[in-house]
Amino acid sequence: MRDFVYPPVIAGLRTWFKLIDLKISVEGAEHIPQEGGAVLAATHVSYLDFIFTGFAALPVKRVVRFMAKKEIFANRFAGPLMRGMHHISVDRDAGLASYKESLRYLKEGELVGVFPEATTSQTFVVKEIKSGAVRMAIATGTPLIPMTVWGGQRLAGKGRKPELTKRHIPITVIAGEPMRPSRKDDMRELTTELQTRMHNLLDRAQREYPDQPKGEDDRWWLPAHLGGTAPAPETQVTGTDD
């Protein structure tokens, strides 16, 4: 698949990150295959998670095709970029077409990025996940790579005004060891295992994060169980806006 849009977008992002001195730490890039298809299943705490998840593939000189809601493709600014980078439009009321397109991409050897929680977590813990990532990996015989991103919510989190010029923010990206599901495996058990792996990666990223809140008003970006003021999981407002 030829890419004319992706390289300049990546270059632009690198420039932006340099200007705001964003500290991106990527661990586990060696788990992302240098060739062939794979499903990248990542946690979702910010609107920028797809950018940082994609950066984890750059060390192996690859790009990721993300599944994203169709409303982004309808935006007059973002839409042409999304189509130019060959991302996958998802209609939540009719998801079969996007599912089939994802399978085609995987069979053609592409990396497909998925956020199995289907919406951004305001509690900063992993919600119940959908089985789509597991189903795609089984159907195509491709590895399933659990991932986590932490820190992006400080720039663009759900329910807060974006602060895209905020400086010196650490971003942690971790790719875990690949799962290799087969048709013999129980899909529900695999989905539970994926959720557990995503949870463990996120918990580790949070506990090892190299920054702390600057006062009581800055504790909003930490989960409640780590002393933050994010809502507890049982009080999270669910939605379908991202």
Side-chain angles (χ1 to χ4, degrees):
M1 189 174 295
R2 302 184 68 181
D3 282 297
F4 298 104
V5 176
Y6 231 134
V9 168
I10 292 172
L13 290 171
R14 288 187 186 276
T15 300
W16 168 34
F17 295 162
K18 185 175 182 180
L19 288 173
I20 64 174
D21 193 27
L22 204 68
K23 309 291 188 181
I24 303 178
S25 170
V26 176
E27 179 183 333
E30 69 275 9
H31 295 313
I32 298 176
Q34 296 185 8
E35 60 183 21
V39 180
L40 277 55
T43 59
H44 201 11
V45 299
S46 88
Y47 294 127
L48 304 179
D49 289 339
F50 71 99
I51 295 175
F52 303 129
T53 301
F55 261 62
L58 296 185
V60 292
K61 300 181 179 180
R62 302 197 66 182
V63 296
V64 183
R65 316 299 178 180
F66 284 95
M67 302 184 73
K69 62 179 183 177
K70 67 175 184 178
E71 287 80 3
I72 300 177
F73 290 79
N75 182 281
R76 63 175 179 168
F77 298 111
L81 292 175
M82 297 294 285
R83 288 186 289 273
M85 289 184 281
H86 306 290
H87 294 313
I88 302 164
S89 176
V90 177
D91 183 344
R92 286 173 173 164
D93 294 324
L96 183 59
S98 58
Y99 177 75
K100 288 182 176 179
E101 185 174 7
S102 298
L103 296 185
R104 178 173 65 83
Y105 275 25
L106 290 167
K107 290 175 182 177
E108 291 175 356
E110 298 285 345
L111 301 176
V112 173
V114 183
F115 297 104
E117 294 168 273
T119 186
T120 309
S121 172
Q122 293 176 282
T123 65
F124 306 140
V125 298
V126 179
K127 299 170 54 183
E128 182 177 354
I129 68 173
K130 309 293 185 182
S131 63
V134 171
R135 287 189 289 115
M136 288 190 294
I138 291 175
T140 56
T142 50
L144 174 60
I145 303 172
M147 296 188 63
T148 194
V149 181
W150 180 247
Q153 75 278 15
R154 299 176 68 186
L155 297 171
K158 187 173 183 177
R160 298 188 65 89
K161 182 179 178 180
E163 297 183 80
L164 300 180
T165 59
K166 196 169 185 177
R167 296 175 57 79
H168 314 305
I169 300 298
I171 304 294
T172 300
V173 186
I174 306 175
E177 293 186 7
M179 298 170 58
R180 301 186 183 278
S182 74
R183 296 183 186 275
K184 297 179 181 179
D185 296 322
D186 183 276
M187 186 177 301
R188 286 180 296 182
E189 290 181 0
L190 285 172
T191 302
T192 299
E193 181 182 351
L194 174 61
Q195 182 176 0
T196 298
R197 292 195 186 199
M198 291 169 60
H199 165 78
N200 291 340
L201 289 173
L202 179 59
D203 184 66
R204 184 177 138 216
Q206 292 168 336
R207 294 182 185 277
E208 297 178 359
Y209 190 66
D211 204 359
Q212 294 294 323
K214 308 298 191 293
E216 190 63 28
D217 291 342
D218 193 39
R219 303 191 73 82
W220 64 268
W221 55 267
L222 278 180
H225 70 275
L226 291 180
T229 56
E234 62 270 17
T235 65
Q236 173 165 314
V237 177
T238 58
T240 57
D241 62 333
D242 64 289

Short mmCIF file of all heavy atoms in Angstrom, two decimals, residues 183-216:
data_model
loop_
_atom_site.label_atom_id
_atom_site.label_comp_id
_atom_site.label_asym_id
_atom_site.label_seq_id
_atom_site.Cartn_x
_atom_site.Cartn_y
_atom_site.Cartn_z
N ARG A 183 -8.23 -20.78 16.05
CA ARG A 183 -9.66 -21.12 15.97
C ARG A 183 -10.06 -22.14 17.03
O ARG A 183 -11.24 -22.33 17.31
CB ARG A 183 -10.00 -21.63 14.58
CG ARG A 183 -9.80 -20.58 13.48
CD ARG A 183 -10.21 -21.10 12.12
NE ARG A 183 -9.89 -20.15 11.07
CZ ARG A 183 -10.68 -19.13 10.70
NH1 ARG A 183 -11.85 -18.98 11.33
NH2 ARG A 183 -10.33 -18.31 9.74
N LYS A 184 -9.09 -22.82 17.61
CA LYS A 184 -9.38 -23.81 18.65
C LYS A 184 -9.63 -23.16 20.01
O LYS A 184 -10.16 -23.79 20.91
CB LYS A 184 -8.21 -24.80 18.77
CG LYS A 184 -7.96 -25.63 17.51
CD LYS A 184 -6.78 -26.57 17.72
CE LYS A 184 -6.51 -27.38 16.47
NZ LYS A 184 -5.33 -28.28 16.65
N ASP A 185 -9.23 -21.90 20.16
CA ASP A 185 -9.34 -21.22 21.44
C ASP A 185 -10.76 -20.70 21.67
O ASP A 185 -11.51 -20.42 20.71
CB ASP A 185 -8.36 -20.05 21.51
CG ASP A 185 -6.91 -20.51 21.45
OD1 ASP A 185 -6.61 -21.55 22.03
OD2 ASP A 185 -6.09 -19.81 20.80
N ASP A 186 -11.12 -20.54 22.91
CA ASP A 186 -12.41 -19.96 23.28
C ASP A 186 -12.33 -18.44 23.18
O ASP A 186 -11.48 -17.82 23.84
CB ASP A 186 -12.78 -20.38 24.70
CG ASP A 186 -14.14 -19.87 25.11
OD1 ASP A 186 -14.24 -18.71 25.55
OD2 ASP A 186 -15.11 -20.64 24.99
N MET A 187 -13.20 -17.85 22.38
CA MET A 187 -13.12 -16.42 22.13
C MET A 187 -13.34 -15.59 23.39
O MET A 187 -12.67 -14.58 23.61
CB MET A 187 -14.12 -16.01 21.04
CG MET A 187 -13.97 -14.55 20.62
SD MET A 187 -15.09 -14.10 19.28
CE MET A 187 -14.56 -15.25 18.01
N ARG A 188 -14.28 -16.01 24.23
CA ARG A 188 -14.53 -15.25 25.45
C ARG A 188 -13.34 -15.29 26.39
O ARG A 188 -12.99 -14.28 27.02
CB ARG A 188 -15.79 -15.79 26.15
CG ARG A 188 -17.09 -15.41 25.45
CD ARG A 188 -18.29 -15.95 26.17
NE ARG A 188 -18.31 -17.42 26.15
CZ ARG A 188 -19.27 -18.15 26.69
NH1 ARG A 188 -20.29 -17.55 27.31
NH2 ARG A 188 -19.25 -19.47 26.64
N GLU A 189 -12.69 -16.44 26.47
CA GLU A 189 -11.50 -16.55 27.32
C GLU A 189 -10.36 -15.69 26.78
O GLU A 189 -9.64 -15.04 27.54
CB GLU A 189 -11.06 -18.01 27.43
CG GLU A 189 -12.02 -18.88 28.23
CD GLU A 189 -11.53 -20.30 28.35
OE1 GLU A 189 -10.45 -20.61 27.79
OE2 GLU A 189 -12.22 -21.12 28.99
N LEU A 190 -10.21 -15.69 25.46
CA LEU A 190 -9.17 -14.87 24.84
C LEU A 190 -9.43 -13.38 25.07
O LEU A 190 -8.50 -12.60 25.32
CB LEU A 190 -9.09 -15.15 23.34
CG LEU A 190 -8.43 -16.45 22.92
CD1 LEU A 190 -8.60 -16.68 21.43
CD2 LEU A 190 -6.95 -16.46 23.29
N THR A 191 -10.70 -12.98 24.96
CA THR A 191 -11.05 -11.58 25.18
C THR A 191 -10.76 -11.17 26.62
O THR A 191 -10.24 -10.08 26.88
CB THR A 191 -12.53 -11.34 24.84
OG1 THR A 191 -12.77 -11.71 23.47
CG2 THR A 191 -12.90 -9.87 25.00
N THR A 192 -11.07 -12.07 27.55
CA THR A 192 -10.77 -11.80 28.96
C THR A 192 -9.26 -11.70 29.18
O THR A 192 -8.78 -10.82 29.91
CB THR A 192 -11.36 -12.89 29.85
OG1 THR A 192 -12.77 -12.91 29.70
CG2 THR A 192 -11.01 -12.64 31.31
N GLU A 193 -8.51 -12.58 28.53
CA GLU A 193 -7.05 -12.54 28.67
C GLU A 193 -6.49 -11.24 28.09
O GLU A 193 -5.60 -10.61 28.68
CB GLU A 193 -6.40 -13.73 27.97
CG GLU A 193 -4.88 -13.73 28.10
CD GLU A 193 -4.21 -14.87 27.37
OE1 GLU A 193 -4.91 -15.79 26.90
OE2 GLU A 193 -2.96 -14.84 27.28
N LEU A 194 -7.01 -10.82 26.93
CA LEU A 194 -6.56 -9.56 26.34
C LEU A 194 -6.84 -8.39 27.28
O LEU A 194 -5.98 -7.53 27.50
CB LEU A 194 -7.26 -9.33 24.99
CG LEU A 194 -6.98 -7.97 24.33
CD1 LEU A 194 -5.50 -7.79 24.02
CD2 LEU A 194 -7.82 -7.83 23.04
N GLN A 195 -8.03 -8.36 27.85
CA GLN A 195 -8.38 -7.29 28.79
C GLN A 195 -7.43 -7.29 29.98
O GLN A 195 -6.98 -6.22 30.43
CB GLN A 195 -9.82 -7.45 29.26
CG GLN A 195 -10.27 -6.34 30.20
CD GLN A 195 -11.74 -6.47 30.58
OE1 GLN A 195 -12.43 -7.39 30.13
NE2 GLN A 195 -12.22 -5.55 31.37
N THR A 196 -7.12 -8.48 30.50
CA THR A 196 -6.21 -8.57 31.64
C THR A 196 -4.83 -8.05 31.28
O THR A 196 -4.20 -7.31 32.05
CB THR A 196 -6.11 -10.03 32.12
OG1 THR A 196 -7.40 -10.47 32.55
CG2 THR A 196 -5.13 -10.17 33.27
N ARG A 197 -4.34 -8.43 30.10
CA ARG A 197 -3.02 -7.96 29.68
C ARG A 197 -3.01 -6.44 29.49
O ARG A 197 -2.04 -5.77 29.89
CB ARG A 197 -2.60 -8.65 28.39
CG ARG A 197 -2.33 -10.13 28.54
CD ARG A 197 -1.59 -10.66 27.33
NE ARG A 197 -1.41 -12.10 27.35
CZ ARG A 197 -0.52 -12.74 26.62
NH1 ARG A 197 0.27 -12.05 25.80
NH2 ARG A 197 -0.41 -14.04 26.68
N MET A 198 -4.05 -5.90 28.90
CA MET A 198 -4.15 -4.45 28.73
C MET A 198 -4.18 -3.76 30.09
O MET A 198 -3.52 -2.73 30.31
CB MET A 198 -5.38 -4.10 27.91
CG MET A 198 -5.30 -4.52 26.44
SD MET A 198 -6.89 -4.39 25.57
CE MET A 198 -7.25 -2.63 25.74
N HIS A 199 -4.95 -4.32 31.03
CA HIS A 199 -5.02 -3.76 32.38
C HIS A 199 -3.65 -3.76 33.05
O HIS A 199 -3.24 -2.75 33.65
CB HIS A 199 -6.01 -4.57 33.22
CG HIS A 199 -5.89 -4.31 34.69
ND1 HIS A 199 -6.41 -3.20 35.32
CD2 HIS A 199 -5.24 -5.02 35.67
CE1 HIS A 199 -6.12 -3.23 36.60
NE2 HIS A 199 -5.41 -4.32 36.84
N ASN A 200 -2.93 -4.87 32.95
CA ASN A 200 -1.63 -4.96 33.60
C ASN A 200 -0.63 -3.97 33.00
O ASN A 200 0.18 -3.36 33.73
CB ASN A 200 -1.09 -6.38 33.49
CG ASN A 200 -1.88 -7.37 34.34
OD1 ASN A 200 -2.58 -6.99 35.26
ND2 ASN A 200 -1.78 -8.66 34.01
N LEU A 201 -0.67 -3.81 31.69
CA LEU A 201 0.23 -2.85 31.05
C LEU A 201 -0.09 -1.42 31.47
O LEU A 201 0.81 -0.63 31.76
CB LEU A 201 0.13 -2.99 29.52
CG LEU A 201 0.72 -4.26 28.90
CD1 LEU A 201 0.38 -4.31 27.41
CD2 LEU A 201 2.24 -4.31 29.09
N LEU A 202 -1.40 -1.09 31.50
CA LEU A 202 -1.78 0.26 31.90
C LEU A 202 -1.41 0.53 33.35
O LEU A 202 -0.89 1.60 33.70
CB LEU A 202 -3.28 0.47 31.69
CG LEU A 202 -3.83 1.84 32.10
CD1 LEU A 202 -3.14 2.96 31.34
CD2 LEU A 202 -5.34 1.90 31.89
N ASP A 203 -1.66 -0.45 34.22
CA ASP A 203 -1.34 -0.28 35.64
C ASP A 203 0.16 -0.05 35.82
O ASP A 203 0.57 0.82 36.60
CB ASP A 203 -1.78 -1.52 36.41
CG ASP A 203 -1.57 -1.37 37.91
OD1 ASP A 203 -2.23 -0.51 38.52
OD2 ASP A 203 -0.74 -2.11 38.47
N ARG A 204 0.95 -0.80 35.08
CA ARG A 204 2.40 -0.61 35.17
C ARG A 204 2.82 0.76 34.67
O ARG A 204 3.65 1.44 35.29
CB ARG A 204 3.11 -1.70 34.37
CG ARG A 204 4.62 -1.64 34.50
CD ARG A 204 5.27 -2.77 33.74
NE ARG A 204 6.43 -2.26 33.03
CZ ARG A 204 6.82 -2.67 31.85
NH1 ARG A 204 6.13 -3.59 31.20
NH2 ARG A 204 7.88 -2.18 31.27
N ALA A 205 2.26 1.19 33.54
CA ALA A 205 2.59 2.50 32.99
C ALA A 205 2.24 3.61 33.97
O ALA A 205 3.00 4.58 34.13
CB ALA A 205 1.86 2.71 31.66
N GLN A 206 1.11 3.47 34.64
CA GLN A 206 0.69 4.48 35.61
C GLN A 206 1.61 4.52 36.82
O GLN A 206 2.00 5.60 37.29
CB GLN A 206 -0.76 4.21 36.05
CG GLN A 206 -1.78 4.43 34.95
CD GLN A 206 -3.14 3.89 35.30
OE1 GLN A 206 -3.28 2.98 36.13
NE2 GLN A 206 -4.18 4.41 34.67
N ARG A 207 1.96 3.36 37.33
CA ARG A 207 2.77 3.30 38.54
C ARG A 207 4.22 3.71 38.29
O ARG A 207 4.91 4.19 39.20
CB ARG A 207 2.70 1.89 39.16
CG ARG A 207 1.31 1.54 39.67
CD ARG A 207 1.26 0.17 40.31
NE ARG A 207 -0.11 -0.20 40.68
CZ ARG A 207 -0.72 0.19 41.79
NH1 ARG A 207 -0.08 0.95 42.65
NH2 ARG A 207 -1.97 -0.20 42.04
N GLU A 208 4.70 3.52 37.06
CA GLU A 208 6.09 3.87 36.74
C GLU A 208 6.20 5.22 36.03
O GLU A 208 7.30 5.61 35.63
CB GLU A 208 6.70 2.77 35.86
CG GLU A 208 6.79 1.42 36.56
CD GLU A 208 7.36 0.33 35.68
OE1 GLU A 208 7.67 0.62 34.49
OE2 GLU A 208 7.50 -0.81 36.15
N TYR A 209 5.10 5.92 35.89
CA TYR A 209 5.09 7.20 35.18
C TYR A 209 6.03 8.20 35.85
O TYR A 209 5.99 8.37 37.08
CB TYR A 209 3.66 7.74 35.15
CG TYR A 209 3.43 8.92 34.26
CD1 TYR A 209 3.56 8.81 32.88
CD2 TYR A 209 3.06 10.16 34.79
CE1 TYR A 209 3.31 9.89 32.05
CE2 TYR A 209 2.81 11.24 33.97
CZ TYR A 209 2.94 11.10 32.60
OH TYR A 209 2.69 12.19 31.78
N PRO A 210 6.88 8.88 35.08
CA PRO A 210 7.92 9.72 35.68
C PRO A 210 7.48 11.13 36.06
O PRO A 210 8.31 12.04 36.10
CB PRO A 210 8.98 9.77 34.57
CG PRO A 210 8.18 9.70 33.32
CD PRO A 210 7.02 8.77 33.63
N ASP A 211 6.22 11.34 36.35
CA ASP A 211 5.74 12.67 36.72
C ASP A 211 4.63 12.53 37.75
O ASP A 211 3.97 11.49 37.82
CB ASP A 211 5.22 13.42 35.48
CG ASP A 211 5.26 14.93 35.65
OD1 ASP A 211 5.68 15.40 36.73
OD2 ASP A 211 4.87 15.66 34.72
N GLN A 212 4.40 13.58 38.51
CA GLN A 212 3.37 13.60 39.53
C GLN A 212 2.53 14.87 39.39
O GLN A 212 2.99 15.86 38.83
CB GLN A 212 3.99 13.55 40.94
CG GLN A 212 4.71 12.25 41.26
CD GLN A 212 3.77 11.07 41.33
OE1 GLN A 212 2.63 11.20 41.80
NE2 GLN A 212 4.23 9.91 40.86
N PRO A 213 1.30 14.85 39.88
CA PRO A 213 0.46 16.05 39.81
C PRO A 213 1.11 17.23 40.52
O PRO A 213 1.80 17.07 41.52
CB PRO A 213 -0.83 15.62 40.51
CG PRO A 213 -0.86 14.13 40.38
CD PRO A 213 0.58 13.69 40.45
N LYS A 214 0.87 18.42 39.96
CA LYS A 214 1.39 19.66 40.56
C LYS A 214 0.30 20.29 41.42
O LYS A 214 -0.31 21.29 41.04
CB LYS A 214 1.83 20.62 39.46
CG LYS A 214 2.79 20.02 38.43
CD LYS A 214 4.09 19.58 39.08
CE LYS A 214 5.15 19.23 38.03
NZ LYS A 214 4.80 18.04 37.24
N GLY A 215 0.03 19.70 42.54
CA GLY A 215 -1.00 20.23 43.43
C GLY A 215 -2.32 19.48 43.30
O GLY A 215 -2.53 18.66 42.40
N GLU A 216 -3.24 19.80 44.21
CA GLU A 216 -4.52 19.09 44.28
C GLU A 216 -5.35 19.26 43.02
O GLU A 216 -6.00 18.31 42.56
CB GLU A 216 -5.31 19.60 45.49
CG GLU A 216 -6.54 18.78 45.82
CD GLU A 216 -6.22 17.35 46.21
OE1 GLU A 216 -5.11 17.11 46.74
OE2 GLU A 216 -7.06 16.47 45.97
#
